[in-house]
Amino acid sequence: GAVVSQHPSWVICKSGTSVKIECRSLDFQATTMFWYRQFPKQSLMLMATSNEGSKATYEQGVEKDKFLINHASLTLSTLTVTSAHPEDSSFYICSARDWGGGPNYGYTFGSGTRLTVV
Amino acid sequence: SQQGEEDPQALSIQEGENATMNCSYKTSINNLQWYRQNSGRGLVHLILIRSNEREKHSGRLRVTLDTSKKSSSLLITASRAADTASYFCATASGGATNKLIFGTGTLLAVQP
């Protein structure tokens, strides 16, 4: 089945530094990837939709200059949290759709990255 | 943005009992999906029901969809302690992008 690999699984960084999270589709081509953020005991909130070779589309209220998304190939999307602050501490999860999928094709999720900013 | 609301927010049952979770959403959809998440972990896809389907089964899972009421339910029969997790509904809509928007989730605790 489809597999999405997300790294790192956890990271601790100092306030003011930047952190990059990678999301790779291992056995399929993902023209579209999605990035979510989840605070403790809350649901997943969609941050942005990433399309291969084009700029990401951000959801309302998400700062595009703070959360940089790059989708340079059909199998890799990255999320960079720039100048991280403690309030950015959260669980970040990516999701990918198969290139050949129609509107009812499934989504595959990465295992998530727990970011702690100290 | 949050598309759906789920109820109950939390549910505690005994092993062997059935668990029912409900999801309501706001806009038209292509499909609705249910996911499971163990504490602090990734998501596991459980079942997908298309907008033109009314009911679907998968093992101990039964999902219904009522597009006229914009609601769905997930029934887990003969629950087990290992079913303890958070359950989320998610709706897919938005044309070609078809982004997935999650509901608020139900925390299920199955007591052994």
Side-chain angles (χ1 to χ4, degrees), chain B residues 8-15 17-21 79 84-85 106-112:
Chain B
Q9 288 187 341
L11 178 61
S12 181
I13 59 174
Q14 296 293 124
E15 222 170 10
E17 294 180 339
N18 295 341
T20 300
M21 289 158 259
S79 64
T84 295
T106 294
L107 178 59
L108 173 66
V110 182
Q111 310 296 334

Side-chain angles (χ1 to χ4, degrees), chain A residues 41-107:
Chain A
K41 298 186 178 180
Q42 294 188 25
S43 185
L44 284 77
M45 298 298 292
L46 180 65
M47 298 175 67
T49 301
S50 161
N51 292 299
E52 185 263 338
S54 64
K55 290 183 179 180
T57 301
Y58 290 82
E59 294 297 303
Q60 194 171 9
V62 177
E63 301 173 58
K64 61 180 181 181
D65 294 330
K66 180 168 186 62
F67 299 100
L68 301 180
I69 292 173
N70 184 281
H71 193 159
S73 77
L74 284 171
T75 58
L76 174 65
S77 177
T78 61
L79 167 67
T80 301
V81 183
T82 62
S83 187
H85 291 285
E87 57 265 30
D88 298 323
S89 298
S90 187
F91 193 56
Y92 293 86
I93 309 176
C94 67
S95 171
R97 295 188 66 218
D98 193 306
W99 181 82
N104 289 309
Y105 205 81
Y107 300 71

Side-chain angles (χ1 to χ4, degrees), chain A residues 32 34 36 38 42-46 49 51 59-60 91 93 95 97 102-112 114, chain B residues 1-2 30-31 33 35 37 40-43 45 48-51 88 92 95-105:
Chain A
T32 304
F34 305 90
Y36 293 85
Q38 184 180 33
Q42 294 188 25
S43 185
L44 284 77
M45 298 298 292
L46 180 65
T49 301
N51 292 299
E59 294 297 303
Q60 194 171 9
F91 193 56
I93 309 176
S95 171
R97 295 188 66 218
N104 289 309
Y105 205 81
Y107 300 71
T108 305
F109 283 80
S111 55
R114 185 160 303 283
Chain B
S1 58
Q2 206 87 51
N30 293 325
N31 63 68
Q33 304 175 36
Y35 288 84
Q37 183 182 37
R41 308 287 288 276
L43 289 163
H45 178 260
L48 179 154
I49 185 166
R50 296 182 172 127
S51 59
F88 295 94
T97 302
N98 219 33
K99 57 187 180 182
L100 204 57
I101 304 296
F102 283 80
T104 50

